[in-house]
Amino acid sequence: MSKAAKTATPRDFESALAELESLVNEMEAGQLPLDASLNAYKRGMELTLWCQKTLADAEHQVKVLEGQLLKDFTPDLPEPNPDE
Amino acid sequence: MPDTPADVISVTELNRLARMALERSLPVRWVTGEISNLTRAASGHWYFTLKDANAAVRCAMFRNRNQFLDWRPENGMQVEVRGQASLYETRGEFQVTVDAMRRAGLGALYEAFARLKDALAREGLFAPERKRPLPPFPNCIGVVTSPKAAALRDVLSTLAQRWPLARVVLYPTPVQGEGAALRIAQAITTAGQRLECDTLLLVRGGGSIEDLWAFNEEVVARALATCPIPVVSGVGHETDFTIADFVADVRAPTPTGAAQLATPLGSDLTARVMDLSRQLRGSQRRRLEYAAQRLDGLGRRLQHPSQRLQVQGRHLAQLARRMPAAWQHGLMQRQRRLERLQAGLERGRPRPAETLRRVDTLGQRMTRAWRVQHQRLGDKVAALASQLGQLNPDAVLERGYAVVRDAQGVILREAAQARPGQEIAIRLHRGTLDAQVTDTRRED
């Protein structure tokens, strides 16, 4: 029951999606005992919310390497050159 | 000189002949020189003078040709043009109609490109087995380009739109001009050493082949080959191929294309997550329904003893109700059977008076029959006796015939049956003669 025992915040989107997919597969296979399926469902819903929230709240962060330091980068760009 | 009017030609005619003679004797070829007096007419056609130290020639490059040029010729540039030497008839001016133009020395550049490409290909730097897959969901994307490049804006907006989850780190470097190649190579190497990214984009917007040249340098190719992070290249336009494109793990046609290839589409993923969530709810609902159904099934089979007694009591009452009816039914059945037997018995009962009457009748009929039969038999016997009388051999003997027998009593029918001297007996109508055969005569 390692799957159901997992409650931690996912490491990243990829692992969250992978875990969600494997949970759905297990559920679809219909082999889970009832309590395990309840746990899987609960965990699956957590992951769904986490994924949705992560996608919705993602704030695009751009840094620029200056010397040895990463600094916030605000694109201050010229209009595109008409020749390009 | 009394020339006839037929020998005189017009200026138009002269220029036409001159143009034809020129075009016949001077085929299309490449000419090198420096541009001056460049005019870009509103019509889109270009006019300029091509000159060297000692001579100059007027040139025209029409819009339908110059629109394919991906760089901008300026006065003072050394160029090579390919064109037809001809005569502009209207003004009688000698000029070259240019259909292609390149910067002088570009031929050498192309040669260098081809040489390096071959050498690196032989070394295996472009081999398909060297290409690494890109992470499907990058967490950090490095971009090697100029912070001032328009290409960077395209890349950043594409990344923000498709996959804002990934952090972006810009490794700034000039992308054209003196020393650009080395700076690009250093930026790639730095990204590889810092290793904060899982995907690296090497991008630059479109430009002339010289503008893109830094991406054809060996030092960039080497930096890419040793970079531990998978690299997507997006240099120039779709039609441009640089050495960097060949070495990169993935080649994108443009900077925007590179950003697209490096990232999943967030909206697709949102839909995917929703799908999975729907599947999850569906599975869970089915699982619960199944459990509930099983529970119901078991509940039905699980009974309290009193409930069981009640059921049995009900059964018993029902049986009690059915018993008198069953009894009644059996009784009636027996009654009906008895009646049937009685009827049979009645039919079989003896009736003496009736029988006696029948016997009398039969006796009378028998006596009558007997008499008739007796009469008929008497008649038949008389007839037979008469027939018999006629068949009696004695009757024949009475008419004078005789029967001859030998000593053994065998009747003789032919003379041959007897021998002379043989004793025979001859029976007559009355009495028998014993005689001896004196002779036999055959009569046929």
Side-chain angles (χ1 to χ4, degrees):
Chain A
M1 213 109 350
S2 62
K3 280 261 153 52
K6 231 184 202 175
T7 50
T9 307
R11 187 164 42 85
D12 54 22
F13 190 87
E14 184 174 9
S15 59
L17 193 66
E19 193 188 340
L20 182 56
E21 277 175 335
S22 85
L23 282 175
V24 169
N25 285 339
E26 279 180 57
M27 297 273 289
E28 298 265 284
Q31 302 292 327
L32 286 183
L34 188 59
D35 59 341
S37 96
L38 284 168
N39 284 337
Y41 177 70
K42 187 161 158 285
R43 176 63 174 161
M45 281 300 152
E46 277 171 18
L47 288 167
T48 300
L49 289 177
W50 187 87
C51 285
Q52 283 171 331
K53 193 166 154 51
T54 303
L55 283 169
D57 297 353
E59 205 177 306
H60 200 219
Q61 286 183 22
V62 183
K63 305 268 185 187
V64 61
L65 182 67
E66 282 182 15
Q68 294 297 310
L69 293 176
L70 286 180
K71 297 187 175 169
D72 284 340
F73 178 76
T74 323
D76 177 25
L77 296 166
E79 284 304 303
N81 188 329
D83 273 7
E84 282 187 5
Chain B
M1 292 261 288
D3 288 335
T4 60
D7 294 329
V8 180
I9 59 169
S10 65
V11 175
T12 304
E13 187 77 352
L14 174 69
N15 283 4
R16 193 176 67 83
L17 289 171
R19 180 179 62 79
M20 285 163 64
L22 270 171
E23 290 181 356
R24 255 201 313 279
S25 53
L26 287 177
V28 170
R29 62 191 312 165
W30 286 96
V31 182
T32 182
E34 184 192 316
I35 294 175
S36 64
N37 299 323
L38 175 64
T39 311
R40 296 187 178 90
S43 59
H45 308 320
W46 296 350
Y47 304 99
F48 56 93
T49 302
L50 198 64
K51 64 176 188 183
D52 61 16
N54 302 314
V57 64
R58 290 292 305 163
C59 293
M61 190 172 193
F62 296 111
R63 190 166 62 101
N64 62 349
R65 302 308 307 178
N66 68 38
Q67 68 189 2
F68 295 115
L69 227 55
D70 60 3
W71 56 284
R72 224 175 136 78
E74 297 294 348
N75 284 325
M77 275 185 177
Q78 287 291 328
V79 296
E80 292 165 354
V81 302
R82 189 182 63 190
Q84 171 71 62
S86 184
L87 193 80
Y88 178 45
E89 292 176 42
T90 317
R91 298 166 66 144
E93 279 182 4
F94 177 65
Q95 74 168 31
V96 175
T97 308
V98 175
D99 60 32
M101 185 192 296
R102 66 191 183 202
R103 311 198 54 174
L106 220 54
L109 224 48
Y110 275 121
E111 252 176 61
F113 174 85
R115 260 202 313 276
L116 180 60
K117 187 175 164 231
D118 283 352
L120 295 180
R122 271 199 302 278
E123 231 182 278
L125 254 61
F126 309 156
E129 57 268 23
R130 281 185 56 97
K131 308 292 182 195
R132 293 162 295 193
L134 305 175
F137 305 102
N139 288 308
C140 182
I141 298 172
V143 184
V144 174
T145 195
S146 160
K148 294 184 178 58
L152 177 59
R153 178 171 41 199
D154 295 342
V155 167
L156 291 180
S157 68
T158 304
L159 293 178
Q161 187 195 330
R162 287 176 63 89
W163 190 238
L165 267 62
R167 285 178 298 120
V168 177
V169 175
L170 174 63
Y171 302 95
T173 168
V175 288
Q176 70 182 87
E178 199 65 36
L182 191 61
R183 298 283 300 279
I184 292 170
Q186 282 167 352
I188 294 168
T189 306
T190 302
Q193 284 163 350
R194 294 178 60 91
L195 218 55
E196 55 218 332
C197 302
D198 46 26
T199 307
L200 197 60
L201 308 185
L202 175 62
V203 297
R204 192 216 185 280
S208 72
I209 184 166
E210 290 139 303
D211 290 342
L212 303 183
W213 200 254
F215 295 85
N216 285 324
E217 300 276 1
E218 185 171 356
V219 63
V220 173
R222 299 284 172 202
L224 285 172
T226 53
C227 181
I229 308 165
V231 183
V232 185
S233 72
V235 177
H237 294 301
E238 195 155 355
T239 48
D240 297 322
F241 270 90
T242 63
I243 299 282
D245 288 324
F246 291 112
V247 187
D249 295 280
V250 176
R251 186 250 172 190
T254 58
T256 303
Q260 286 169 345
L261 287 177
T263 50
L265 187 54
S267 57
D268 280 357
L269 287 168
T270 306
R272 173 84 185 121
V273 169
M274 292 303 289
D275 266 359
L276 286 169
S277 166
R278 247 194 308 283
Q279 275 175 277
L280 196 67
R281 274 198 301 276
S283 299
Q284 182 61 4
R285 186 172 45 74
R286 277 192 297 281
R287 185 69 185 79
L288 288 175
E289 282 169 358
Y290 168 69
Q293 210 173 343
R294 255 189 91 189
L295 196 60
D296 282 349
L298 290 171
R300 269 197 298 279
R301 283 159 57 189
L302 191 71
Q303 282 180 339
H304 192 272
S306 76
Q307 211 174 357
R308 204 178 161 79
L309 281 176
Q310 222 175 354
V311 169
Q312 283 172 345
R314 267 202 301 277
H315 191 208
L316 201 60
Q318 208 175 10
L319 289 175
R321 265 200 310 281
R322 278 167 61 190
M323 198 137 90
W327 171 248
Q328 193 73 34
H329 181 72
L331 205 61
M332 275 167 69
Q333 234 174 6
R334 284 188 177 81
Q335 182 73 39
R336 271 199 298 279
R337 198 162 156 222
L338 192 61
E339 281 165 7
R340 270 201 307 281
L341 288 172
Q342 276 172 344
L345 206 57
E346 178 59 28
R347 271 195 304 280
R349 185 170 59 87
R351 290 174 181 75
E354 197 179 316
T355 309
L356 210 55
R357 269 198 308 282
R358 273 184 77 188
V359 168
D360 284 353
T361 316
L362 284 173
Q364 286 163 10
R365 281 170 62 191
M366 203 153 85
T367 312
R368 247 194 327 276
W370 164 246
R371 279 196 201 115
V372 170
Q373 187 71 2
H374 187 260
Q375 182 70 45
R376 193 183 298 149
L377 285 175
D379 294 351
K380 206 165 178 184
V381 166
L384 284 173
S386 148
Q387 275 179 325
L388 207 57
Q390 281 162 21
L391 288 175
N392 185 359
D394 283 352
V396 181
L397 294 183
E398 206 176 2
R399 294 208 300 269
Y401 293 93
V403 178
V404 181
R405 287 189 167 89
D406 63 9
Q408 282 74 41
V410 175
I411 294 171
L412 302 179
R413 295 166 202 280
E414 295 175 18
Q417 278 180 283
R419 292 176 317 274
Q422 185 179 351
E423 300 204 338
I424 54 175
I426 300 165
R427 184 170 168 228
L428 302 176
H429 175 53
R430 282 197 188 118
T432 302
L433 303 175
D434 289 330
Q436 198 164 27
V437 179
T438 56
D439 193 10
T440 60
R441 285 185 308 273
R442 290 187 59 175
E443 280 173 27
D444 294 316

